[in-house]
Amino acid sequence: MSDLDTFRAEVREWMASHLTGKFAELKFRGGSGEGDALPELRKEWERELAAGRWTCPGWPREHGGRGLSVAEQVAFQEEYSRAGGPGRMGHIGEGLMGPTLIAFGTEEQKKRFLPGILNGTEFWCQGYSEPSAGSDFGNIKTRAKLDPVSGDWIVSGQKVWTSLAHLSDWIFVVARCEEGSVGRNGLIFLLMPLAQSGVEIHPIKQIGGGAEFNSVFFDDARANARDVVGQPGDGWKIAMALLGFERGISTLGQQMSFQQELDLIVEISKENGSDRSPAIRQRVAYAWTGLRAMRYLAMRVLSDDQSAETRREALTYKYQWSNWHRDLGRLAMDVLKMDANVVSHDPRRERLQQMFLFARADTIYGGTNEIQLNIIAEQGLGMPREPRGKL
């Protein structure tokens, strides 16, 4: 047995012995369309993971992680998902905020914020999108003004589609700090506590019944002077680096969840006879091959080969998985037939219904299809940017 096989067995054994008892209810929960499910129990699960040193396993050892290799991190993500591990309440802190602070934060910021992420006691959300700044991220309107007395930053504006803000302790906010600046210039990256006057959080009800997204309003809210990451004006650079961390190892865990959804579709198709349809069989085969292609791409991008060709290929990943997952939702509904239209308490059917409804947004959030194609054309293929016409 190889060292990696031994490691996989260790993860499987730990999950089997800990995702039991009161935590058994969490199996396969907190996925597509139900990110706000069982929040307090999932926060407790984060602390259980922390006690076993399974939070932040890819972080360097000097910052409290296990220092796992890429192969080991992939193995952990896959075994965690295979065992039914719930959606991670701490994934924004672990996968985005923590690596950003390790790369760009001051020593004081690392000492203050990394332990709470590592221990599963402080939770973060992301303050990027605004009503007029989604895919067009450079159109940010939220303002940060320097208080000349305290050195703090006074923030006013609105963020929207903020996942789990109502369940979080802190938010990282990209705001405009230079009067008259436009686009990527004049931005600042701030760390802000949500429990303060001047911050209001309004949940957004989703089509599937949940409310994991929020609007966050800032009315002269305050960010401490010591809670600026980088320098004023570095906001765009920090924000883009953070998005690079977002497209990292966790994509393999995401693919394992996709595999479980596909397996469930196949299982139900065999039960209700949908598998006898040549068209359904063809679509299942297409979904299977598409998922394998995604895995090979992700593994190549995560390898040590960081050639220009590999970096170009990485630009296609979001477009690839979001369209694949949307089509998987359509396949699920066709396999369920008329049952797809009926509210169900069958957990299998409910999971696929939620997946279908949530997957409709996959090609919108994180950069729409149109934005992704522009990125591929301009950054990957070197095509010139077309000037925007006036309406």
Side-chain angles (χ1 to χ4, degrees):
M1 181 180 290
S2 68
D3 290 344
L4 192 58
D5 289 335
T6 301
F7 177 75
R8 283 184 179 274
E10 178 188 353
V11 178
R12 286 197 297 270
E13 181 180 346
W14 191 91
M15 291 294 292
S17 61
H18 288 79
L19 195 56
T20 58
K22 63 182 176 181
F23 294 127
E25 185 181 3
L26 295 179
K27 284 188 176 180
F28 301 108
R29 299 300 304 274
S32 296
E34 59 162 22
D36 58 342
L38 304 170
E40 295 308 317
L41 187 58
R42 282 167 59 206
K43 285 185 177 182
E44 189 175 346
W45 172 248
E46 291 290 324
R47 295 189 287 275
E48 184 79 2
L49 286 170
R53 297 189 62 239
W54 292 115
T55 55
C56 315
W59 287 13
R61 291 182 182 275
E62 60 266 29
H63 296 298
R66 287 176 175 245
L68 297 185
S69 67
V70 169
E72 289 170 329
Q73 292 179 67
V74 169
F76 172 75
Q77 291 287 345
E78 291 182 339
E79 296 301 334
Y80 180 89
S81 297
R82 184 177 286 117
R88 296 288 307 283
M89 291 291 291
H91 77 281
I92 296 291
E94 176 178 326
L96 303 182
M97 191 69 262
T100 301
L101 287 175
I102 290 171
F104 299 101
T106 65
E107 290 305 311
E108 191 269 345
Q109 288 170 343
K110 295 173 188 177
K111 289 178 182 177
R112 285 175 56 216
F113 294 116
L114 295 184
I117 298 172
L118 191 68
N119 298 330
T121 55
E122 285 189 339
F123 297 91
W124 289 79
C125 60
Q126 177 174 330
Y128 275 19
S129 294
E130 299 183 4
S132 60
S135 297
D136 189 6
F137 185 56
N139 201 35
I140 282 175
K141 297 291 193 297
T142 296
R143 300 283 173 176
K145 294 184 178 181
L146 183 64
D147 182 342
V149 177
S150 66
D152 294 346
W153 292 87
I154 310 303
V155 179
S156 296
Q158 178 189 356
K159 298 295 180 177
V160 72
W161 307 117
T162 310
S163 299
L164 304 183
H166 60 305
L167 299 170
S168 299
D169 305 295
W170 288 80
I171 183 172
F172 50 90
V173 173
V174 179
R176 198 161 292 284
C177 63
E178 295 178 14
E179 197 68 36
S181 64
V182 295
R184 64 184 63 185
N185 300 314
L187 300 176
I188 191 170
F189 195 101
L190 299 168
L191 313 179
M192 301 181 65
L194 287 166
Q196 62 166 301
S197 61
V199 175
E200 288 189 12
I201 301 173
H202 296 185
I204 300 172
K205 192 77 168 181
Q206 297 162 228
I207 190 172
E212 64 189 89
F213 299 116
N214 301 268
S215 287
V216 183
F217 295 89
F218 303 93
D219 184 8
D220 289 342
R222 188 171 291 266
N224 194 285
R226 62 180 179 169
D227 292 337
V228 179
V229 180
Q231 299 296 319
D234 287 346
W236 180 272
K237 178 183 75 173
I238 306 295
M240 293 301 105
L242 182 144
L243 291 178
F245 296 124
E246 184 177 35
R247 297 174 174 91
I249 300 292
S250 61
T251 58
L252 275 301
Q254 178 193 51
Q255 290 176 22
M256 185 59 67
S257 296
F258 291 168
Q259 181 66 62
Q260 291 164 355
E261 291 168 349
L262 178 56
D263 290 344
L264 183 55
I265 290 169
V266 171
E267 178 183 315
I268 292 175
S269 75
K270 292 178 178 179
E271 292 175 2
N272 68 10
S274 295
D275 66 326
R276 292 194 293 269
S277 164
I280 292 293
R281 292 200 302 271
Q282 183 180 44
R283 289 167 66 188
V284 168
Y286 182 81
W288 187 90
T289 55
L291 187 56
R292 290 302 173 278
M294 280 191 283
R295 176 177 174 78
Y296 296 140
L297 173 60
M299 292 298 292
R300 184 176 182 191
V301 170
L302 290 170
S303 72
D304 293 332
D305 174 18
Q306 287 301 306
S307 64
E309 181 182 356
T310 302
R311 288 193 294 271
R312 285 197 300 268
E313 291 173 351
L315 299 174
T316 68
Y317 185 69
K318 201 278 176 175
Y319 182 83
Q320 185 182 26
W321 77 255
S322 60
N323 285 275
W324 181 92
H325 199 222
R326 178 200 60 196
D327 292 343
L328 187 72
R330 292 170 174 165
L331 172 61
M333 295 303 97
D334 289 342
V335 164
L336 286 172
K337 302 180 181 179
M338 292 301 295
D339 287 342
N341 301 311
V342 181
V343 174
S344 172
H345 296 294
D346 176 350
R348 299 185 307 162
R349 192 195 310 173
E350 186 178 17
R351 182 180 181 186
L352 293 182
Q353 289 170 326
Q354 288 287 348
M355 183 267 286
F356 165 73
L357 293 172
F358 193 82
R360 299 299 300 167
D362 286 344
T363 57
I364 300 173
Y365 69 78
T368 65
N369 269 355
E370 293 75 14
I371 292 293
Q372 296 301 321
L373 290 173
N374 283 342
I375 291 172
I376 294 168
E378 294 165 11
Q379 299 181 26
L381 302 177
M383 298 175 66
R385 177 180 297 215
E386 293 292 332
R388 292 182 180 179
K390 294 182 178 180
L391 296 178

